Amino acid sequence: MSNGTDKKKVFLIKVPQVEYYEKQKSLSLDVVRTPQVIMPLSLGYLGSFVREYGRENFEVSLADVNTRAMIEAGGKNYSPHLLPEIMESLIENSDYDVIGISSAFANNVDWVRKAVALAKGFHPNAPVILGGGYPTLFAEESLRSTKAEYACIGEGEDTLLALLNRIFKIKNERFEKLFDSEPTSYAYWQDDIVKIVPRGPYIKDLDLIPHPAWDLLDIDSCNSVFPENTNEIASITSRGCPFKCIYCSTQLAWGSSHRFRSAENVLDEIDLLYERYNIRHVHFVDDNMTINKERMIQILDGIVERRREDFTWVGSNFDIRTLYNAEDLIKLMGASKMKSAQLAVESGAPDTQKYIRKNLNLEKFKQVYEWFLALDIPVKLLLMIGFPEETEEDIQKTIDLAYELKPHSTQVNIVTAWPETELHERATEGHYLDSDIDISDMDHRKATGFVNVAWDYEKLNRLSYDTTIDINFLNNRDLNDKRYFPRILEKWSHLETELPRQAVIKMCLGYLYNHMDKHDIASKYYRRAYKLLKEEDVYKVYGRYLGWKSSVIEEYNAYVASVENTNIT
C-alpha cells in the first residue's frame, strides 16, 4: 500500500472517433465519419473507478482527443489535421507511469496504432494497456499490431484496476473484497505468444461503480464553449441485453446477462450532472433501457418529481416488445420531457426479422410509433440493410417502412459482421464473408464486408444515403408545420457545425430562414451552398439532389436562377 507520496501515475486517453486523418482525403463525403463531441463515458467510468478503489496507490488523469480539439476550436468545427497534433502533444507532455489507450470502435485501429507508437517513443518504459472496441473484438491482433503490453477485453473497470495492481505488485484489500482480485478478460505477452485470460464474473452490483469522473475530463471548459449545453452528456443505466440478435456484439463487452443500476443511483447521477456540472440534457446509451419496466417507471417518476423545466433526455435504445402494451410508459416518457425517441426496428421485412432474431411484430411496432407521435415526441428510426442472405426485395421493404412511417429522422446502417457474433459465423459458413476486409473499413457507413450476395454494394450505399438525405432533410416531416421550425432549426444548426461541407444542410437552413421571414440569413445559407457545390467532391455527392422533388430544392434553385447574372459570393 502506498504511503501517499509515491502514487503511480495512470494516464488514460481516448483516440479520435473519426476517420484516420491520412485516409480522409481519399474518402467520399458520404462515408467520412464526423467528429463526436460528446465526452467519453468509458473514460469517465474508468477514471472514477481507479480514483475510488485505487486512490491510495494511483493518481489518474484523463484526456479525450476529440473533446480537446473542440475546446481548442472554441466549440466550432475543427480541421482533422488538428487531431494528430493534439494527440501527440497530450501523450508527449503527460507525466505517467502507465498509459491506457481507449478506442470507441474497432475501426479506430489506425489511431490506436499511432497512439501506441507515440507512447513507445515518448515514454518507452511505461507499459501500454489497450481498451475499447478494437481489443474487445481483436484482442490478439491488437497486441501483435501495436506491440502494446496488455489489452482489456470488454467491461474494463475491475479488469483495469486489477491489472494495475498486478503490474505494480500492489495489494489492495478494499478492492479485493468487492471485486475479483485477479485480473480477468485481458490479453498479455508471454515471450512471443499472446495469451488471453477469459472473463471471470462481471460486476454484479453496478451501484458500486462511482459516477463518471467528468471533472477529470475538463467538463467546465466544455460548458464554456457550449453555453447552451449542446454538448450533451452520456449516461448508461444498465449493461447488456438478454436478447440474441445475430448481428449484435454487445454481449462481447457486457456478457449475456442484463444488469441494472438502481433507480436511486441513476437519479443521484442526474442530480449531480444538473447541479454540479450545469448539464441540461442527458443521452442514455443503454442497449435496452426499458426491459425492466418497473425500474424505468421509478426513474421517470423521479425525473418528473424534480420539476426541472429545462431538463431533457433521450434514450438510444428501448425494448420495443415492452412497449407493445405500454402506452402508459410512453406517456410518462413524455411527461419527463424526453426530447426524442430512437426506435431500432432494424428491418421492415418479416423474413429478415426472423433471420436476425429481432422478431418484432411490425404492426404492433407501428402502434408504438403512433403513440410517440401522438405525444409530439420526435422519432428517429434505426434501420439495417445488407444482411448477406437478404434479397433486394427484403431491402426495399425496409426502405418502404421508413417512407411509410416518415419519421423525424432515420439512420440506415449498412450491416457489418462483427467477429464472434452469430452473423459472422453464418457468413463464414455460407461463404459470404469478405476475408480481405480491413479492420478500419468495418463501419456501417462503408459498403464492404460481404461477397456472393444477391444485391450490389454500390446500389446499397446509394439507397442508404438517399433515404437519409430525403427523410432527414429535403422532405423532413417537420417542414410541413411552422410550429416545428425552432426544433428543426436547432438540430440542423448543430449538424452544420459537425458537417461543414454538407451542402444540403445549408439549403435546408436557407429554406427555414426564408419561411421565418429572415431573408438575409436565408440568402447567406443559399450562397454557402452554392459555393460548396462548386467544389468537385462536394458536387459529386450532393449535386445529384438538385433535381429531386422537394420544396427545399425548388426554392434553392429559384434563388440561384434569380441571381445567376450576379456574382454569388
Side-chain angles (χ1 to χ4, degrees):
M1 187 171 293
S2 170
N3 61 15
T5 61
D6 58 351
K7 291 182 180 181
K8 297 299 181 181
K9 294 178 180 179
V10 181
F11 178 49
L12 306 178
I13 184 171
K14 184 180 177 187
V15 302
Q17 193 174 322
V18 294
E19 290 290 343
Y20 192 55
Y21 71 104
E22 291 183 349
K23 293 183 176 180
Q24 287 195 20
K25 289 184 178 181
S26 65
L27 294 173
S28 172
L29 289 172
D30 55 355
V31 171
V32 174
R33 183 177 290 277
T34 57
Q36 302 293 306
V37 297
I38 190 168
M39 289 196 295
L41 188 60
S42 55
L43 280 196
Y45 268 127
L46 292 169
S48 68
F49 194 90
V50 173
R51 182 166 64 180
E52 172 64 24
Y53 295 107
R55 60 176 177 260
E56 294 180 322
N57 305 294
F58 300 106
E59 178 184 314
V60 62
S61 58
L62 310 177
D64 174 48
V65 180
N66 275 357
T67 305
R68 185 65 61 88
M70 194 62 69
I71 290 172
E72 292 192 10
K76 300 176 182 178
N77 188 73
Y78 54 83
S79 168
H81 297 290
L82 191 62
L83 295 172
E85 296 173 10
I86 289 176
M87 187 169 76
E88 180 172 343
S89 176
L90 286 168
I91 293 174
E92 178 182 8
N93 297 316
S94 295
D95 180 20
Y96 59 82
D97 298 297
V98 59
I99 183 172
I101 297 173
S102 174
S103 58
F105 304 114
N107 50 43
N108 301 138
V109 54
D110 292 321
W111 286 109
V112 175
R113 291 169 180 162
K114 179 65 174 179
V116 174
L118 290 170
K120 294 288 186 182
F122 292 124
H123 303 269
N125 297 321
V128 177
I129 305 173
L130 304 182
Y134 178 35
T136 293
L137 293 173
F138 301 94
E140 180 175 353
E141 197 277 343
S142 70
L143 292 193
R144 293 195 178 280
S145 171
T146 65
K147 304 305 179 185
E149 280 75 18
Y150 305 96
C152 294
I153 303 169
E155 184 172 272
E157 291 93 348
D158 56 342
T159 297
L160 175 62
L161 185 51
L163 197 52
L164 291 172
N165 289 335
R166 169 171 285 191
I167 291 170
F168 295 107
K169 298 179 174 58
I170 289 170
K171 181 72 174 176
N172 185 332
E173 294 181 358
R174 177 171 176 251
F175 169 71
E176 292 172 5
K177 286 180 180 179
L178 295 171
F179 308 95
D180 270 357
S181 60
E182 292 296 320
T184 65
S185 194
Y186 75 102
Y188 69 100
W189 290 96
Q190 187 176 86
D191 298 323
D192 293 329
I193 300 173
V194 174
K195 295 285 189 178
I196 296 178
V197 179
R199 180 77 215 188
Y202 285 87
I203 300 173
K204 293 181 180 179
D205 184 359
L206 297 183
D207 287 0
L208 290 174
I209 304 175
H211 299 321
W214 297 124
D215 56 304
L216 297 181
L217 278 163
D218 205 7
I219 188 173
D220 292 328
S221 293
C222 275
N223 284 339
S224 70
V225 298
F226 295 102
E228 298 177 359
N229 289 288
T230 52
N231 60 324
E232 65 186 24
I233 283 288
S235 175
I236 187 167
T237 77
S238 64
R239 296 185 178 187
C241 178
F243 299 115
K244 308 293 183 184
C245 300
I246 67 171
Y247 54 82
C248 188
S249 62
T250 189
Q251 293 182 4
L252 302 179
W254 306 125
S256 58
S257 63
H258 199 182
R259 296 163 289 143
F260 303 90
R261 293 167 57 194
S262 67
E264 294 80 7
N265 185 268
V266 175
L267 292 168
D268 285 345
E269 182 189 14
I270 292 174
D271 291 341
L272 175 68
L273 292 171
Y274 188 91
E275 296 167 4
R276 163 63 181 87
Y277 298 120
N278 199 34
I279 295 298
R280 297 296 183 262
H281 181 65
V282 174
H283 186 163
F284 295 109
V285 295
D286 303 46
D287 288 299
N288 201 324
M289 189 177 182
T290 55
I291 193 168
N292 186 330
K293 184 179 177 182
E294 180 180 351
R295 187 194 71 119
M296 188 69 187
I297 290 173
Q298 291 173 353
I299 293 172
L300 297 180
D301 278 339
I303 294 174
V304 171
E305 289 167 3
R306 281 157 172 77
R307 299 178 181 275
R308 292 167 176 156
E309 290 300 317
D310 56 349
F311 178 81
T312 58
W313 67 278
V314 64
S316 285
N317 213 342
F318 303 129
D319 175 35
I320 294 172
R321 300 168 190 81
T322 300
L323 301 180
Y324 283 166
N325 300 300
E327 186 178 6
D328 57 334
L329 179 58
I330 295 174
K331 287 181 178 179
L332 186 55
M333 290 178 180
S336 65
K337 299 180 72 72
M338 183 170 74
K339 196 172 185 179
S340 63
Q342 292 189 179
L343 302 179
V345 64
E346 312 302 13
S347 176
D351 287 346
T352 301
Q353 283 283 338
K354 294 176 182 177
Y355 168 72
I356 65 177
R357 284 216 293 272
K358 187 80 173 180
N359 290 322
L360 292 182
N361 182 311
L362 293 176
E363 293 306 312
K364 290 184 178 180
F365 164 75
K366 291 176 186 178
Q367 178 60 71
V368 170
Y369 175 80
E370 292 297 329
W371 285 335
F372 281 108
L373 291 190
L375 293 170
D376 202 19
I377 297 174
V379 175
K380 181 176 183 178
L381 199 63
L382 303 180
L383 302 169
M384 302 176 74
I385 57 175
F387 288 99
E389 295 183 32
E390 276 193 307
T391 64
E392 289 187 349
E393 182 181 2
D394 293 328
I395 292 169
Q396 189 59 50
K397 286 179 181 178
T398 297
I399 301 301
D400 289 345
L401 178 65
Y403 277 98
E404 176 189 347
L405 298 179
K406 202 171 184 183
H408 301 80
S409 62
T410 188
Q411 181 173 318
V412 185
N413 295 329
I414 295 175
V415 174
T416 297
W418 299 109
E420 297 189 47
T421 61
E422 185 177 341
L423 176 60
H424 190 277
E425 183 180 317
R426 289 192 186 187
T428 301
E429 292 175 352
H431 304 288
Y432 296 117
L433 198 65
D434 182 356
S435 58
D436 295 327
I437 185 174
D438 189 88
I439 295 173
S440 64
D441 290 328
M442 299 184 76
D443 189 329
H444 66 78
R445 299 165 191 251
K446 295 182 178 178
T448 184
F450 298 118
V451 294
N452 305 318
V453 291
W455 37 263
D456 176 76
Y457 259 124
E458 184 176 349
K459 292 180 181 177
L460 196 74
N461 190 56
R462 179 52 57 198
L463 190 61
S464 168
Y465 203 70
D466 283 352
T467 304
T468 299
I469 291 293
D470 197 18
I471 290 178
N472 292 10
F473 301 106
L474 296 181
N475 287 295
N476 188 284
R477 66 182 298 139
D478 276 352
L479 291 176
N480 298 319
D481 193 329
K482 286 189 176 183
R483 291 178 302 166
Y484 300 132
F485 280 13
R487 76 179 180 194
I488 200 170
L489 179 62
E490 176 187 2
K491 181 177 181 179
W492 285 350
S493 297
H494 184 61
L495 282 174
E496 189 205 9
T497 300
E498 294 186 350
L499 301 165
R501 302 183 72 217
Q502 215 272 41
V504 169
I505 292 177
K506 296 198 171 30
M507 296 180 206
C508 289
L509 286 168
Y511 178 90
L512 277 181
Y513 280 115
N514 202 32
H515 285 262
M516 295 168 68
D517 296 324
K518 297 181 179 181
H519 306 298
D520 289 344
I521 301 177
S523 295
K524 179 180 71 173
Y525 279 104
Y526 284 150
R527 288 195 298 272
R528 288 178 181 176
Y530 182 85
K531 289 179 67 177
L532 274 176
L533 287 167
K534 291 296 184 181
E535 299 175 22
E536 184 178 352
D537 59 336
V538 176
Y539 187 83
K540 182 179 179 181
V541 174
Y542 301 109
R544 64 190 307 272
Y545 299 113
L546 294 175
W548 276 43
K549 185 177 181 181
S550 162
S551 297
V552 172
I553 294 298
E554 290 173 6
E555 289 199 9
Y556 169 76
N557 286 336
Y559 170 83
V560 172
S562 70
V563 295
E564 61 183 355
N565 293 323
T566 65
N567 183 23
I568 301 178
T569 60

